[in-house]
């Protein structure tokens, strides 16, 4: 039987959709984004944040969750040994990586975009009168909400790439957490001139720029930041592809 690209994608979707853990992780990611957005909006005390900033305040935790989802999808078969059967069925190997990335990215984009819109709608409903209201038709609002979905989808793909690169869910999640959380914290310890030059280009800072309604001083433009983050994802995918082709399962 000829192996088609669509068949490999369908197989990876079946694996994804048949595991309870993937649905739980996906649900947790959405709940984190919505819940923290509502909490931030309800407790807002007038410190200059916009309704978008408040609605997306849970994006860091949501990113860790969708990244973990990708890592599980990318590495779980190595843990169970099922990767040998998968690669025997798809001897070209690379379609497995592309299909896992597509499934994880698409699932994260749909779920997290919906969660971003829900967080914005629910958060706006509970905001007090200390902040001006925003609607979907206002400048930048749609871009930030769709950008949140795109950024979190790329984080999921990064998780897949790391999972298949290091072949360990725990290892991939640890690296992801370090890249998204720890590295930005360490960057502030650098001399000011170096920190200011480097910080905007760090993965999480670059990617999350697309979620800012108005770019702050010293940050990248929204779409520029997302492109920079996509570059990190592409490089990691390339490394995972090389390892998949050159090493044994």
């Amino acid at each position: 039987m000829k192996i088609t690209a669509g068949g490999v994608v369908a197989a990876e979707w079946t694996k994804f959709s048949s595991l309870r853990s993937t649905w739980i992780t996906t649900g947790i990611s959405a709940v984190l984004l919505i819940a923290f957005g509502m909490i931030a909006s309800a407790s807002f005390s007038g410190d200059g944040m916009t309704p978008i900033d408040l609605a997306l305040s849970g994006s860091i935790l949501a990113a860790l969750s969708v990244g973990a989802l990708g890592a599980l999808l990318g590495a779980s078969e190595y843990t169970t040994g099922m990767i040998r059967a998968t690669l025997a069925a798809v001897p070209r190997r690379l379609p497995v990586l592309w299909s896992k990335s597509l499934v994880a990215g698409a699932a994260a984009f749909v779920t997290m975009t919906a969660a971003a819109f829900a967080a914005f709608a629910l958060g706006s409903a509970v905001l007090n009168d200390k902040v001006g209201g925003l609607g979907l038709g206002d400048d930048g609002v749609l871009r930030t909400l769709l950008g949140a979905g795109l950024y979190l989808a790329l984080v999921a793909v990064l998780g897949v790439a790391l999972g298949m690169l290091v072949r360990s869910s725990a290892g991939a999640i640890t690296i992801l957490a370090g890249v998204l959380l720890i590295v930005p914290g360490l960057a502030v310890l650098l001399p000011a001139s170096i920190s200011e030059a480097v910080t905007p280009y760090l993965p999480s800072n670059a990617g999350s720029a697309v979620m800012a309604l108005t770019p702050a001083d010293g940050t990248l433009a929204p779409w520029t930041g997302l492109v920079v983050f996509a570059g990190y994802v592409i490089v990691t995918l390339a490394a995972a592809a090389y390892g998949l082709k050159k090493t044994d399962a």
Side-chain angles (χ1 to χ4, degrees):
M1 180 182 296
K2 183 178 179 181
I3 302 298
T4 65
V8 180
V9 172
E12 292 303 329
W13 169 251
T14 299
K15 296 174 190 176
F16 178 91
S17 60
S18 62
L19 293 175
R20 183 184 302 174
S21 60
T22 59
W23 291 113
I24 292 174
T25 307
T26 303
I28 288 173
S29 302
V31 168
L32 286 171
L33 189 61
I34 295 170
F36 274 83
M38 289 187 65
I39 292 170
S41 298
S43 60
F44 179 70
S45 58
D47 58 358
M49 297 180 72
T50 70
I52 288 289
D53 298 326
L54 296 167
L56 300 179
S57 59
S59 60
I60 294 176
L61 291 177
L64 290 175
S65 186
V66 295
L69 172 68
L72 290 170
L73 186 61
S76 61
E77 288 187 84
Y78 285 100
T79 303
T80 62
M82 287 298 295
I83 191 65
R84 297 183 182 87
T86 296
L87 297 182
V90 190
R92 292 175 59 194
R93 295 192 172 198
L94 292 186
V96 174
L97 173 60
W98 310 143
S99 297
K100 287 181 183 291
S101 299
L102 178 61
V103 167
F109 175 72
V110 172
T111 304
M112 302 315 297
T113 299
F117 276 88
F120 175 67
L122 295 172
S124 297
V126 300
L127 270 174
N128 56 40
D129 58 5
K130 294 182 180 180
V131 61
L134 285 175
L136 293 178
D138 290 316
D139 288 343
V141 172
L142 279 177
R143 184 259 302 161
T144 57
L145 298 177
L146 291 173
L150 287 170
Y151 168 60
L152 293 170
L154 286 171
V155 173
V157 175
L158 180 61
V160 172
L162 288 172
M164 296 201 74
L165 180 62
V166 303
R167 304 184 177 190
S168 163
S169 299
I173 293 170
T174 299
I175 293 171
L176 186 75
V179 167
L180 297 182
L181 293 180
I182 298 175
V183 171
L186 293 176
V188 302
L189 302 178
L190 297 171
S193 59
I194 298 176
S195 178
E196 291 172 1
V198 169
T199 297
Y201 294 92
L202 296 177
S204 57
N205 292 341
S208 61
V210 77
M211 296 187 292
L213 190 64
T214 302
D217 292 339
T219 63
L220 297 178
W223 295 118
T224 301
L226 191 66
V227 169
V228 170
F229 184 70
Y232 285 110
V233 176
I234 290 170
V235 169
T236 310
L237 279 170
Y242 180 83
L244 187 60
K245 289 287 286 187
K246 296 298 183 180
T247 60
D248 294 331

